[in-house]
Amino acid sequence: MHITVKLFATFRVGRFAAQAREYPEGTRIADVVRDLHIREAEIGTIMLNNRHAEPDQQLNDGDNLSIFPLVGGG
Amino acid sequence: MEQLHAFLRDHATADLLPWPAQTAAAQRFGTPLALVEEAALGLGLLPARYQRNRQAITVDQQLTLFQSRVAVIGCGGLGGYVIEELARLGVGTIIAIDPDVFEEHNLNRQLLSSPANLGQAKVAAAAARVAEINPAVTLVPIQASYAPDNGGELLRDARLVVDALDSIPTRLALAQTCAELEVPLVHGAIGGWYGQVTTQFPGDDTIQRLYSRWVEGKGVEQHLGNPSFTPALVASVEVAEACKILLGLGKTLRHRKLFINLLDMEFEEVKFVRHLVPVDE
C-alpha cells in the first residue's frame, strides 16, 4: 500500500522531507519508524492524516504519516 | 477616590489619559501608578500608551488584562520575550519565576540579557525591564526553580501560566500542577529553527501526549541550540494565546499543536482529538 511519509526538523537529515513509500498490508506506524531507523524515544508527535496518532496504530492505503522530533528548549 | 476620578477626567484628552497625567495623578494623590491605571480604565479612560491596542482590545478588555495575574515559568529565551510582550500589552501582574543568572551564552537570544547584567538574576533583570517599559505593571520576581512541591504556592492566584521552560520533565510536572490548580497553561518549546505551541486547559492532556515517549535528556535543542528569531516568534504566539484566553476571544490552540519550521518556512497543525472512553462490551 502507498503511504506518504513526511519527516520534520532533524529527522530529515540523511532521510527526506516527504516521500511516497510502499508498505505491506498490516504495517503499523512503529514499523515505519523502525524502517526509517528513527529511535522512538526521539519522537515527539506522530500525525496520521492531520491527527495525533500512536505507534501501534495500523496504516491504510493512502495514509499520510508525519513524524516530528521532541522539541524542549526555552 | 472621588478627587482622583475628577483629576483623571479633567486631564484626559477625549477618552485618552496621557502618561504625564497618569504620573501627575500618582504623585498628587500618593497612589501607585497601577492604581491610577486601574481607576482610569474603570472610568472608561484608556491610558494613551495603549491607544494602538484599541482596534484589537476595548477599554473594558484593557481593564480585564490589567486585573489579570499571569505566571511566566522561565525567564530565558522564551520568557524574556513573553514578559516584554505581556507588560506592553498591559497585563497588570506578571509573576516571573527562574532560578538562574545571565551567562554569556544567553546573549545571542535572551531579550533581557546584556553584557552589563551578566551574573545578574534573570528575574531581577525582568523586574528592571518592566519597571522601565511599563511602570504601571507589577512584576513579581521569584528567583527559584519551579518544582511540583512549590508549584502550588508559586502559582497561587495566577489566572494563567505561560510555559517558557527549557526542560521536558519540568514541563510535564508543570502541566500536572496546572491541572491540579485548574489553571490554563500555554506551552511553547524551541530548538534550532523549530518550535511548537499548544494551549492546555484543565482536564486536557495534550502536553502529556506531546512528550509521552520522552525517556531522558533534551529534544532537538540539545544539538541545534537556539538562534535569536525562534524564541521571539514562539513567545509571540504564546502571548497571543494568553491574550485570547484572558479575554475569551478568538480560537486558541487547544487540542492543536502548531509546529513551526523556520528553515523551510512550514507551519503544521496537528489535531489532538480527545481520548474516547471505551464502552464496556
Side-chain angles (χ1 to χ4, degrees):
Chain A
M1 56 186 181
H2 299 289
I3 306 295
T4 302
V5 181
K6 284 183 81 175
L7 300 178
F8 288 84
T10 44
F11 289 161
R12 290 183 178 178
V13 179
R15 297 190 187 89
F16 53 86
Q19 207 168 73
R21 295 171 73 88
E22 225 17 72
Y23 287 101
E25 290 291 329
T27 299
R28 297 172 314 134
I29 292 173
D31 301 325
V32 176
V33 167
R34 248 193 312 276
D35 178 45
L36 295 171
H37 300 102
I38 293 173
R39 281 180 53 229
E40 216 173 282
E42 290 176 29
I43 297 176
T45 313
I46 299 168
M47 178 167 82
L48 182 61
N49 302 328
N50 298 319
R51 289 176 185 275
H52 173 256
E54 295 293 342
D56 56 0
Q57 276 176 250
Q58 274 205 0
L59 295 167
N60 293 303
D61 187 43
D63 275 349
N64 287 296
L65 177 67
S66 297
I67 307 171
F68 301 80
L70 281 172
V71 177
Chain B
M1 197 56 103
E2 279 306 308
Q3 285 178 318
L4 172 63
H5 286 180
F7 182 94
L8 294 174
R9 282 199 191 93
D10 286 350
H11 289 76
T13 308
D15 67 344
L16 289 181
L17 184 69
W19 179 245
Q22 194 171 337
T23 53
Q27 213 160 32
R28 174 150 169 187
F29 298 99
T31 310
L33 281 164
L35 282 181
V36 176
E37 185 149 319
E38 192 169 9
L41 288 165
L43 292 171
L45 301 174
L46 186 67
R49 62 171 298 128
Y50 301 122
Q51 59 191 295
R52 292 291 188 274
N53 279 359
R54 184 135 67 171
Q55 297 310 317
I57 296 165
T58 66
V59 177
D60 280 351
Q61 290 169 337
Q62 196 70 58
L63 177 60
T64 300
L65 290 177
F66 193 75
Q67 291 172 333
S68 296
R69 193 177 170 90
V70 172
V72 181
I73 320 298
C75 299
L78 292 172
Y81 286 100
V82 169
I83 290 165
E84 175 90 8
E85 292 179 19
L86 289 173
R88 288 190 188 271
L89 184 63
V91 169
T93 306
I94 302 167
I95 306 161
I97 301 170
D98 196 305
D100 293 336
V101 299
F102 282 118
E103 298 178 56
E104 193 168 354
H105 59 81
N106 300 147
L107 291 172
N108 78 320
R109 69 194 183 285
Q110 299 195 10
L111 182 65
L112 302 171
S113 67
S114 68
N117 69 13
L118 296 180
Q120 190 188 342
K122 294 183 178 182
V123 294
R129 177 67 180 168
V130 168
E132 186 187 0
I133 62 171
N134 195 349
V137 167
T138 303
L139 185 128
V140 181
I142 300 176
Q143 192 179 359
S145 294
Y146 155 80
D149 58 354
N150 66 7
E153 180 64 24
L154 293 178
L155 306 182
R156 197 162 39 97
D157 303 328
R159 257 263 351 251
L160 174 72
V161 174
V162 181
D163 163 14
L165 286 160
D166 63 356
S167 148
I168 293 171
T170 312
R171 275 197 175 89
L172 289 167
L174 178 64
Q176 179 64 34
T177 300
C178 289
E180 287 163 8
L181 295 174
E182 300 192 331
V183 186
L185 171 62
V186 178
H187 158 75
I190 52 172
W193 298 85
Y194 313 103
Q196 64 185 33
V197 186
T198 190
T199 287
Q200 176 146 312
F201 283 82
D204 299 346
D205 63 353
T206 311
I207 295 169
Q208 286 85 344
R209 289 157 82 187
L210 283 178
Y211 294 115
S212 63
R213 277 168 290 273
W214 174 82
V215 180
E216 59 174 350
K218 292 181 174 287
V220 295
E221 68 280 5
Q222 175 82 27
H223 302 293
L224 301 179
N226 287 304
S228 65
F229 40 81
T230 317
L233 174 63
V234 170
S236 294
V237 178
E238 289 191 271
V239 173
E241 288 289 282
C243 180
K244 291 184 296 182
I245 294 166
L246 294 173
L247 298 179
L249 293 175
K251 187 177 170 192
T252 66
L253 285 168
R254 186 178 193 186
H255 303 310
R256 294 189 286 161
K257 179 191 82 164
L258 179 66
F259 187 85
I260 298 165
N261 168 359
L262 294 172
L263 187 58
D264 304 301
M265 235 11 127
E266 296 173 345
F267 294 74
E268 290 281 335
E269 182 187 314
V270 182
K271 291 189 172 66
F272 284 74
V273 286
R274 287 168 168 281
H275 284 304
L276 298 175
V277 180
V279 180
D280 290 331
E281 290 179 351

